[in-house]
């Protein structure tokens, strides 16, 4: 698994020079060559392959002649499905939540994942690019590039420029088609869905942000619910817990944005209550029509072929019952305790449900089924043969405000479990001899909106006979000014120690300006940073730039920039340096801070310094950039402590945590500047 310092999906393009030259990575081809091939195979994915060698390879390569570590089993299976005409046709929508379509995408993923050299990987990619459904193909390529050892240093191009329809309003896509037909270079302004009469419009910039959408789909590609250890080369450590934590952070960040815009925190959905807020996506499939809308104030209905409402209530009841008892029941009737720090991992696997769930037949798949149930409420019985809703794609799910209501519902189930655990004691929290003396921020915390431009060239129909004209869209997006945190720490021990520094923040007041209790605040804490550092004996000043906080990632270069960089590296024979973008697990750098308010919004910022020697699950964390917040390249999680530690358990008496010397808290304001 390609999990480096929290970066993002990417790739590039050029010619296919001297196949075996510059073999600076596994598989018999240079990193630049691999980058080029992945770029080329994803460029204009609905049209003909433009790279001459890959185009020729798409006709001449025989998948059964490739080199595999599974004796070609996966390739034989996919070829049989193809030759028997059982695969989904091209020019048709694809959804990962459609069982058969997912199986087909994963057949290709298996072929690519089991390829042992680059000629086999690239040959299969070219061959199936022209024969498989485009959506299935893109998903399989992205998953394989992320997980295959052959593509460890390949950066995937930004998905919003590969399949723009899933990220861009239909009005903009239609304008792009007009620009293409008239051969008029165009830069089209994007607007968020809804109107000022809809209060949810105030936070549309968060759920509809292309970086947010990319973050969500990337996380689910890195930690897929279909991951099966028996077919892969490693176990993904703490996958269920990470599922809880990434969605918990999305939920609390969304609430902070709502408070920034004078809205109450989001309410959870209930299966036996109506869905109060409707949603009109204003998006369309490349092929298959528009995404369905949902009116206001509709009650959940049974969805034919998916689940009944009462089924969801039963699954929820079984899970809550397991939390109350403190254990799940395995397939074999075994008792699996969750009354410890690792219980959250099991609970996350159950709720999602992933293949790691100990008993999916009994506890079901609450999260995955819920996405389909909610996504289909516009046409629950298939009366109008509508395509899947936005909740049935990880790329589009966060566009619907009901996504956050759905995850608030599941987050509250997770909280039931976390609150059932014994709170940390003073002995659990103390780091003997370590005192946090000060916490300072270098400058006023300010956010503002900026314009961002991305290409729509891959969103319109094309032909080799018509030259491209520049077609792009400009969207407004939230960002913030850079800042630094300076922490003064005294180490009273007579030797150097390794320390873990954790920084969190939560809104100080609710929408009625009532101060949150410490226990409520800590559950709504936004994780800002976690890093390891060495503390010398005596006084230490630790400075950290917001650019290096580790829970966010920079923007991936545009598709065209990636292609240009790759062309240059191939042409000059130089190394291609894309290290900063090799993993995309974090939120966009721009979203580190909530929007805040023009008059300033109060946040409670806390820093907690713990024993790095006890926390560290791998060596060298204070100097390593080869891990990220969610894990190392082999699936190992680098921190022995739970996600959110020490704020993950209930706090009955805040003095137990605020009273230890290795804890420090300050209040700050976040200002939003309207005209930057």
């Amino acid at each position: 698994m390609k999990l480096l310092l929290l970066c993002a999906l990417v790739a590039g393009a050029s010619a296919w020079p001297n196949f075996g030259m510059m073999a600076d990575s596994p598989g018999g081809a240079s990193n630049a060559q691999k980058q080029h091939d992945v770029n080329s195979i994803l460029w204009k994915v609905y049209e003909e392959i433009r790279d001459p060698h890959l185009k020729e390879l798409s006709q001449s390569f025989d998948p059964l002649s490739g080199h595999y570590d599974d004796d070609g089993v996966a390739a034989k299976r996919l070829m049989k499905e193809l030759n028997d005409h059982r695969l989904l046709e091209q020019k048709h929508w694809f959804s990962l939540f459609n069982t058969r379509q997912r199986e087909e995408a994963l057949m290709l993923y298996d072929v690519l994942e089991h390829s042992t050299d680059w000629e086999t990987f690239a040959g299969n990619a070219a061959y199936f690019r022209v024969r498989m459904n485009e959506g299935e193909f893109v998903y399989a390529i992205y998953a394989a590039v992320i997980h295959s050892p052959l593509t460890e240093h390949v950066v995937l191009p930004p998905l919003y420029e590969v399949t723009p329809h899933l990220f861009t309003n239909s009005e903009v896509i239609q304008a792009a088609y007009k620009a293409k037909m008239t051969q008029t270079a165009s830069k089209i302004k994007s607007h968020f869905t809804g109107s000022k009469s809809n209060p949810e419009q105030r936070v549309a910039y968060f759920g509809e942000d292309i970086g947010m959408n990319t973050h969500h789909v990337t996380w689910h590609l890195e930690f897929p619910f279909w991951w099966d250890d028996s077919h892969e080369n490693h176990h993904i450590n703490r996958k269920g817990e990470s599922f809880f934590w990434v969605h918990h952070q999305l939920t609390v960040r969304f609430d902070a944005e709502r408070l920034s815009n004078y809205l109450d925190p989001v309410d959870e959905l209930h299966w036996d209550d109506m869905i109060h807020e409707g949603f009109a996506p204003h998006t369309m499939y490349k092929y298959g029509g528009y995404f369905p809308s949902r009116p206001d104030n509709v009650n959940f209905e049974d969805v034919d072929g998916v689940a009944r409402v009462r089924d969801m209530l039963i699954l929820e009841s079984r899970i809550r019952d397991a939390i109350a008892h403190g254990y799940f029941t395995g397939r074999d009737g075994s008792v699996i305790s969750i009354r410890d720090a690792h219980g959250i991992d099991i609970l996350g696997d159950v709720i999602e449900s992933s293949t790691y769930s100990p008993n999916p037949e009994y506890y079901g798949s609450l999260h995955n089924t819920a996405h389909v149930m909610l996504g289909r409420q516009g046409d629950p019985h298939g009366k109008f043969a509508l395509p899947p809703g936005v909740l049935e794609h990880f790329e589009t799910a966060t566009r619907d405000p009901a996504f956050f209501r759905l995850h608030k519902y599941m987050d509250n189930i997770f909280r039931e479990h976390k609150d059932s655990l014994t709170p940390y004691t003073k002995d659990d929290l103390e780091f003997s001899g370590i005192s946090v003396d000060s916490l300072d921020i270098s400058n006023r915390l300010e956010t503002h909106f900026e314009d961002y431009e991305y290409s729509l060239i891959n969103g319109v129909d094309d032909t080799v006979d018509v030259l491209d004209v520049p077609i792009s869209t400009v969207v407004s997006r939230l960002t913030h000014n850079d800042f630094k945190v300076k922490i003064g720490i005294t180490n009273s021990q007579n030797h150097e120690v390794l320390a873990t520094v954790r920084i969190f923040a939560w809104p100080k007041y609710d929408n009625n300006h009532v101060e949150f209790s410490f226990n409520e605040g800590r559950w709504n804490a936004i994780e800002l940073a976690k890093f390891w550092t060495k503390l010398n004996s005596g006084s230490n000043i630790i400075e950290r730039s917001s650019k290096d906080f580790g829970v966010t990632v920079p923007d991936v270069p545009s598709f065209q920039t990636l292609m240009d960089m790759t062309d240059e590296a191939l042409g000059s024979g130089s190394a291609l340096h894309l290290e900063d973008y090799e993993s995309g697990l974090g939120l966009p750098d721009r979203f580190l801070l909530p929007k805040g308010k023009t008059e300033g919004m109060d946040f409670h910022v806390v820093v907690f310094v713990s024993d790095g020697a006890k926390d560290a699950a791998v060596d060298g964390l204070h100097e390593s950039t080869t891990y990220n917040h969610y894990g190392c390249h082999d699936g190992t999680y680098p921190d022995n402590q739970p996600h959110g530690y020490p704020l993950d358990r209930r706090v009955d008496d805040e003095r137990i945590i605020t009273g230890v010397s290795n804890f420090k808290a300050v209040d700050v304001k976040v200002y939003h500047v309207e005209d930057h």
Side-chain angles (χ1 to χ4, degrees):
M1 177 180 292
K2 224 179 46 168
L3 303 178
L4 294 167
L5 172 68
L6 285 165
C7 300
L9 292 156
V10 199
S14 167
W16 178 290
N18 300 321
F19 194 20
M21 299 291 287
M22 301 179 295
D24 53 2
S25 62
S30 70
N31 289 330
Q33 183 65 60
K34 294 177 181 181
Q35 185 72 55
H36 156 70
D37 295 341
V38 173
N39 289 343
S40 299
I41 212 69
L42 290 170
W43 181 253
K44 298 181 182 296
V45 73
Y46 291 96
E47 314 296 338
E48 293 181 33
I49 298 176
R50 302 304 169 91
D51 179 84
H53 183 87
L54 290 173
K55 185 173 183 179
E56 189 277 329
L57 208 59
S58 72
Q59 302 303 318
S60 64
F61 182 77
D62 177 9
L64 299 182
S65 69
H67 301 95
Y68 307 99
D69 59 15
D70 68 341
D71 296 324
V73 171
K76 292 172 186 175
R77 179 190 181 198
L78 181 55
M79 286 300 292
K80 186 176 190 311
E81 295 291 306
L82 176 66
N83 292 331
D84 289 348
H85 306 289
R86 286 174 47 81
L87 299 181
L88 180 67
E89 67 268 25
Q90 294 187 324
K91 310 282 190 289
H92 189 286
W93 55 260
F94 159 72
S95 171
L96 191 67
F97 290 108
N98 180 295
T99 302
R100 173 59 189 178
Q101 292 178 4
R102 180 174 67 251
E103 288 175 352
E104 292 180 9
L106 293 184
M107 287 182 205
L108 176 55
Y109 164 80
D110 285 340
V111 172
L112 297 170
E113 181 70 7
H114 288 295
S115 299
T116 56
D117 57 59
W118 189 247
E119 187 172 9
T120 301
F121 189 105
N124 278 310
Y127 182 88
F128 290 106
R129 150 77 188 261
V130 301
R131 291 169 175 82
M132 285 189 68
N133 173 268
E134 298 88 349
E136 293 180 350
F137 176 81
V138 170
Y139 184 83
I141 289 290
Y142 269 73
V145 168
I146 286 172
H147 293 285
S148 172
L150 292 175
T151 48
E152 182 179 356
H153 300 294
V154 171
V155 175
L156 285 159
L159 197 53
Y160 50 82
E161 290 191 333
V162 175
T163 55
H165 284 74
L166 296 177
F167 298 85
T168 311
N169 287 357
S170 54
E171 298 88 348
V172 174
I173 293 293
Q174 290 169 340
Y177 272 110
K178 179 179 179 181
K180 179 69 174 181
M181 291 172 65
T182 59
Q183 286 289 282
T184 306
S186 300
K187 190 181 297 185
I188 307 155
K189 180 67 177 177
S190 282
H191 298 281
F192 299 117
T193 60
S195 67
K196 291 183 178 180
S197 62
N198 178 10
E200 297 298 323
Q201 172 73 9
R202 299 181 208 167
V203 288
Y205 66 84
F206 186 76
E208 295 183 27
D209 184 89
I210 57 174
M212 165 64 72
N213 305 149
T214 300
H215 161 64
H216 188 230
V217 68
T218 302
W219 189 91
H220 281 283
L221 279 161
E222 293 271 14
F223 295 86
F225 62 84
W226 46 260
W227 185 270
D228 187 343
D229 287 358
S230 65
H231 297 156
E232 308 296 344
N233 56 10
H234 66 268
H235 177 81
I236 301 178
N237 191 229
R238 293 166 63 169
K239 186 160 78 73
E241 182 185 8
S242 290
F243 169 81
F244 147 68
W245 185 247
V246 72
H247 292 93
H248 173 70
Q249 283 296 292
L250 287 182
T251 303
V252 300
R253 283 178 176 274
F254 184 64
D255 278 347
E257 298 298 340
R258 294 178 67 83
L259 291 171
S260 297
N261 290 279
Y262 308 97
L263 296 170
D264 288 327
V266 71
D267 290 325
E268 67 176 318
L269 284 177
H270 295 278
W271 299 113
D272 50 0
D273 190 13
M274 66 173 51
I275 311 166
H276 296 284
E277 289 83 12
F279 181 61
H282 285 250
T283 45
M284 59 192 292
Y285 286 92
K286 171 73 172 177
Y287 301 103
Y290 286 82
F291 280 85
S293 297
R294 183 186 64 252
D296 285 341
N297 301 320
V298 298
N299 290 305
F300 274 106
E301 291 190 42
D302 299 343
V303 175
D304 294 354
V306 176
R308 298 167 296 184
V309 175
R310 72 176 186 182
D311 294 333
M312 305 305 291
L313 289 167
I314 290 170
L315 293 179
E316 176 190 339
S317 177
R318 289 174 178 174
I319 293 170
R320 289 186 187 273
D321 190 56
I323 292 170
H325 282 90
Y327 65 87
F328 284 102
T329 303
R331 283 188 181 94
D332 58 358
S334 59
V335 173
I336 304 169
S337 175
I338 57 172
R339 282 280 170 82
D340 56 29
H342 303 293
I344 188 69
D345 191 42
I346 300 168
L347 180 59
D349 288 333
V350 166
I351 286 180
E352 189 174 12
S353 132
S354 74
T355 58
Y356 289 3
S357 174
N359 195 348
E361 293 80 11
Y362 183 70
Y363 296 108
S365 179
L366 187 65
H367 168 264
N368 292 352
T369 307
H371 266 261
V372 181
M373 286 286 286
L374 184 55
R376 296 282 180 89
Q377 290 306 306
D379 187 24
H381 307 298
K383 179 179 179 181
F384 305 107
L386 296 179
V390 293
L391 269 299
E392 296 175 75
H393 302 272
F394 290 130
E395 299 93 326
T396 57
T398 64
R399 296 175 68 91
D400 187 343
F403 168 88
F404 296 99
R405 287 159 175 74
L406 179 65
H407 277 281
K408 177 64 76 73
Y409 154 72
M410 281 178 272
D411 199 52
N412 286 342
I413 297 176
F414 282 118
R415 184 173 184 177
E416 280 186 30
H417 162 68
K418 280 288 191 177
D419 284 354
S420 73
L421 302 178
T422 304
Y424 295 116
T425 65
K426 184 179 179 182
D427 288 342
D428 293 330
L429 299 173
E430 279 187 321
F431 187 5
S432 179
I434 304 300
S435 174
V436 181
D437 306 314
S438 61
L439 173 59
D440 298 300
I441 297 174
S442 61
N443 48 273
R444 194 171 96 143
L445 300 179
E446 288 187 0
T447 69
H448 58 273
F449 284 96
E450 66 177 10
D451 282 345
Y452 180 72
E453 182 179 356
Y454 65 95
S455 173
L456 298 177
I457 287 178
N458 288 330
V460 296
D461 291 331
D462 202 6
T463 173
V464 294
D465 301 321
V466 179
L467 293 176
D468 284 328
V469 293
I471 305 173
S472 61
T473 184
V474 177
V475 62
S476 183
R477 62 184 197 172
L478 183 69
T479 188
H480 63 81
N481 295 342
D482 295 332
F483 61 93
K484 291 182 179 179
V485 170
K486 182 186 292 186
I487 307 167
I489 305 174
T490 299
N491 173 13
S492 299
Q493 301 185 39
N494 60 4
H495 56 85
E496 182 184 69
V497 298
L498 179 65
T500 314
V501 180
R502 307 165 194 271
I503 306 175
F504 301 89
W506 64 80
K508 189 173 181 180
Y509 302 104
D510 68 12
N511 202 32
N512 295 315
H513 207 69
V514 175
E515 185 171 349
F516 285 111
S517 68
F518 189 94
N519 189 51
E520 282 304 307
R522 63 93 200 168
W523 182 256
N524 291 291
I526 296 167
E527 185 175 28
L528 295 179
K530 178 171 65 177
F531 57 90
W532 281 262
T533 188
K534 287 290 184 72
L535 298 177
N536 298 317
S537 182
S539 297
N540 296 263
I541 299 296
I542 307 298
E543 280 193 336
R544 198 77 170 185
S545 169
S546 58
K547 295 179 180 179
D548 301 320
F549 272 18
V551 299
T552 60
V553 297
D555 288 324
V556 177
S558 71
F559 205 158
Q560 188 63 54
T561 300
L562 285 170
M563 292 191 291
D564 292 343
M565 292 173 69
T566 308
D567 283 349
E568 182 179 349
L570 283 174
S572 64
S574 59
L576 178 63
H577 291 291
L578 295 170
E579 294 85 358
D580 289 344
Y581 312 104
E582 286 180 4
S583 171
L585 287 175
L587 281 164
D589 282 342
R590 306 171 289 100
F591 275 170
L592 182 63
L593 295 179
K595 173 174 168 280
K597 299 177 179 178
T598 54
E599 69 274 21
M601 179 174 167
D602 293 292
F603 282 84
H604 196 60
V605 179
V606 304
V607 59
F608 182 79
V609 179
S610 55
D611 188 342
K614 292 181 180 178
D615 295 348
V618 295
D619 295 329
L621 289 171
H622 63 290
E623 56 191 5
S624 174
T625 57
T626 58
Y627 76 93
N628 63 46
H629 184 64
Y630 292 106
C632 302
H633 70 280
D634 61 354
T636 302
Y637 186 72
D639 188 3
N640 286 323
Q641 298 291 358
H643 282 305
Y645 173 81
L647 304 178
D648 60 309
R649 297 195 184 185
R650 75 175 194 271
V651 177
D652 295 336
D653 184 345
E654 66 180 83
R655 293 172 297 181
I656 291 175
I657 185 169
T658 60
V660 296
S661 62
N662 48 308
F663 176 92
K664 185 73 174 178
V666 297
D667 289 341
V668 301
K669 288 182 182 289
V670 177
Y671 295 87
H672 180 67
V673 180
E674 292 291 347
D675 298 313
H676 185 72

